[in-house]
Amino acid sequence: MTAVTRGDDRVRAAFDAVQREDFLPSAERRYAADDRPLPIGPSQTNSQPSSVRTMLELLVVRAGDTVLDVGSGSGWTTALLGHLVGPEGRVVGVEVVERLAVWGRSNVEAYGMGWVSVQQADPDVLGLPSQAPFDRILVSAESRTLPAELVDQLTPEGRMVVPVHGRLSVVQRHRDREPVVRQVGHYRFVPLRRSERA
């Protein structure tokens, strides 16, 4: 069995363990199985499951990793990451919209993962530099350019997946050389609002 297959299996297990419907408004729960974004608030969505699956597979999250989830929304991706890292790891979700941050925190807490937390993002700070570095960073909002502030919050061998200008960018840091960036597919996400710094 290849490493990629094992990674796919781990992501599949996370999807089985963390139900999307638990992170949707009541009116949207009947659509939880649909492979499309679903609204969770003004200009905010719970991302398309196939896109989330691809992002998690590209992120290659390991048990015990420390992970930052930028734009955590209703907490679904944060909980999925929590399942992937397990109790030896740590996941922090940050969300700029206060109402969503409170709701997302409640949704995650219902899953009883004490190693996972959600907090409201500082509108003047991108990411969570006060708690860096992170082994992995997932960004669920689209940036126009590669956010250097987040690259700087990775460990020397860390990895980030972030939508940039319609493409998924996979950023791999290396201790003694510049990060390697590769782009995958074409995707649409809500914008990473630079004025609000999710």
Side-chain angles (χ1 to χ4, degrees), residues 110-185:
Y111 270 78
M113 292 186 284
W115 57 96
V116 182
S117 63
V118 175
Q119 62 188 67
Q120 186 177 5
D122 182 333
D124 297 318
V125 178
L126 184 57
L128 200 59
S130 64
Q131 296 188 34
F134 298 95
D135 300 303
R136 298 289 187 266
I137 297 177
L138 179 69
V139 184
S140 297
E142 184 173 333
S143 180
R144 285 175 292 182
T145 59
L146 184 67
E149 307 100 306
L150 292 177
V151 176
D152 290 342
Q153 292 173 47
L154 288 168
T155 61
E157 300 294 334
R159 175 177 287 217
M160 174 170 64
V161 174
V162 53
V164 178
H165 202 60
R167 305 287 302 274
L168 279 185
S169 289
V170 182
V171 182
Q172 180 67 56
R173 286 196 78 178
H174 296 279
R175 190 176 300 274
D176 298 318
R177 55 191 172 96
E178 289 297 306
V180 173
V181 181
R182 64 185 176 97
Q183 293 184 318
V184 181

Side-chain angles (χ1 to χ4, degrees), residues 19-34 36 38-39 103 107:
Q19 299 300 309
R20 187 189 191 198
E21 63 193 49
D22 294 335
F23 299 84
L24 294 172
S26 56
E28 300 297 329
R29 289 175 187 160
R30 58 183 169 162
Y31 305 116
D34 292 0
R36 60 185 174 95
L38 294 172
W103 181 43
N107 292 337

Side-chain angles (χ1 to χ4, degrees), residues 20-29 38-41 44-46 72-76 95 97-110 118:
R20 187 189 191 198
E21 63 193 49
D22 294 335
F23 299 84
L24 294 172
S26 56
E28 300 297 329
R29 289 175 187 160
L38 294 172
I40 56 174
Q44 302 292 322
T45 62
N46 179 278
S72 57
S74 64
W76 185 43
E95 170 56 53
V97 179
E98 181 179 8
R99 180 181 60 81
L100 282 181
V102 172
W103 181 43
R105 183 182 308 119
S106 175
N107 292 337
V108 169
E109 287 175 350
V118 175

